[in-house]
Amino acid sequence: MRLLLIEDDDRIAGPLTEGLGRYGFTVDHVRTGTDGLSDTTAAPDLVLLDLGLPDMDGLDVCRSLRARSAVPIIMITARGEEADRIVGLELGADDYLAKPFGVRELIARIRAVTRRAGAPAYTPAEPSERPGPHQATSGAQALGPLALNRRTREVHLNGRQVALTPREFDLLAFLANDPGTVYSRQRIMDTVWDPHFFGPTKTLDAHVAALRRKLGDPRWITTARGVGFRLTVPGEPAASEAAG
Ligand code: CA
């Protein structure tokens, strides 16, 4: 999948290009609206458009792109540009992300936008630095009554599918890499969220709470106070779970 990134700030564009590359995206990076609009060499599958560009208003870039193409557009906006976001969406942008954001959040938006646009849903490759004892297998893993399939990203509990958000699935799948093992909050944030994630880790607690609710039993995810979280199969003694 080829992305056109129109962003003048190399502190944003650098990590973004590198991070998206790890997920298998090809990124063409230009720094001005003029270059973005003249980039006709290879039609991009999606445009990431910074609204604050040095040579022209990002909203005008958005309008011009939309006038000639149905390419999905995700705006990148700074804090406080709420009015611009609304105008951008009215001009035909598909979504926006407010700085700062993580690569994984961006990829979730890319997937949602390309799905809405009718393109085949893009499935990102697992980044190479996320090894796990179960990830090299067919993708299916059974944990008592819970069945987790990394390839299809589906979770079944007692044979019934559990609807999880992409992030909830990633969190569950990460903890399931080694049931019974306590993962620290930082390790979870770095892996399930993003090494470039900035912000309070309260979002982790919110996702743990949502998973416990959806799995119908809070004991699925136990809190190691002051350390982190671990996955346990309710009713099974913790010592027997390390074998997975
Ligand atoms: Ca900018």
Side-chain angles (χ1 to χ4, degrees):
M1 190 169 188
R2 178 176 292 275
L3 303 185
L4 172 61
L5 171 62
I6 309 176
E7 166 67 84
D8 60 306
D9 188 343
D10 284 344
R11 291 169 305 174
I12 305 271
L16 212 51
T17 303
E18 190 259 317
L20 287 167
R22 273 193 284 123
Y23 285 86
F25 291 94
T26 303
V27 180
D28 291 328
H29 174 216
V30 298
R31 292 178 179 79
T32 64
T34 309
D35 285 348
L37 289 172
S38 62
D39 183 276
T40 52
T41 47
D45 298 305
L46 187 136
V47 176
L48 299 174
L49 172 64
D50 177 32
L51 289 189
L53 294 169
D55 61 328
M56 59 190 288
D57 190 329
L59 292 172
D60 290 331
V61 178
C62 180
R63 185 187 287 112
S64 300
L65 282 171
R66 183 52 76 236
R68 68 187 194 200
S69 160
V71 65
I73 300 170
I74 298 179
M75 299 178 286
I76 301 171
T77 70
R79 200 182 296 275
E81 287 179 338
E82 194 178 348
D84 282 352
R85 285 172 207 159
I86 294 164
V87 173
L89 293 171
E90 284 173 354
L91 286 174
D94 295 274
D95 205 348
Y96 68 85
L97 269 175
K99 298 173 188 174
F101 56 86
V103 169
R104 294 178 66 84
E105 185 181 1
L106 171 59
I107 285 170
R109 301 295 180 91
I110 290 172
R111 293 186 69 188
V113 162
T114 51
R115 207 181 306 128
R116 278 205 300 272
Y122 173 75
T123 307
E126 284 296 308
S128 50
E129 79 271 30
R130 292 181 63 199
H134 298 283
Q135 291 187 351
T137 66
S138 68
Q141 182 183 2
L143 294 149
L146 188 70
L148 191 133
N149 192 314
R150 289 181 171 77
R151 201 160 42 77
T152 61
R153 297 180 64 84
E154 284 177 343
V155 172
H156 289 81
L157 183 65
N158 293 315
R160 291 175 63 175
Q161 187 164 355
V162 183
L164 299 182
T165 67
R167 187 83 75 188
E168 288 164 1
F169 180 88
D170 288 343
L171 174 59
L172 181 64
F174 178 66
L175 293 175
N177 275 328
D178 198 0
T181 292
V182 174
Y183 289 100
S184 72
R185 299 178 68 90
Q186 190 57 51
R187 173 106 189 265
I188 296 170
M189 291 306 295
D190 284 353
T191 310
V192 178
W193 272 259
D194 198 277
H196 304 297
F197 181 87
F198 312 101
T201 62
K202 279 262 179 273
T203 186
L204 170 56
D205 298 280
H207 281 76
V208 167
L211 270 179
R212 284 172 172 157
R213 192 175 63 248
K214 289 183 177 182
L215 296 177
D217 189 330
R219 293 176 299 168
W220 276 105
I221 300 175
T222 50
T223 305
R225 207 161 293 283
V227 184
F229 299 97
R230 73 172 153 223
L231 185 72
T232 52
V233 180
E236 279 189 18
S240 72
E241 281 153 20

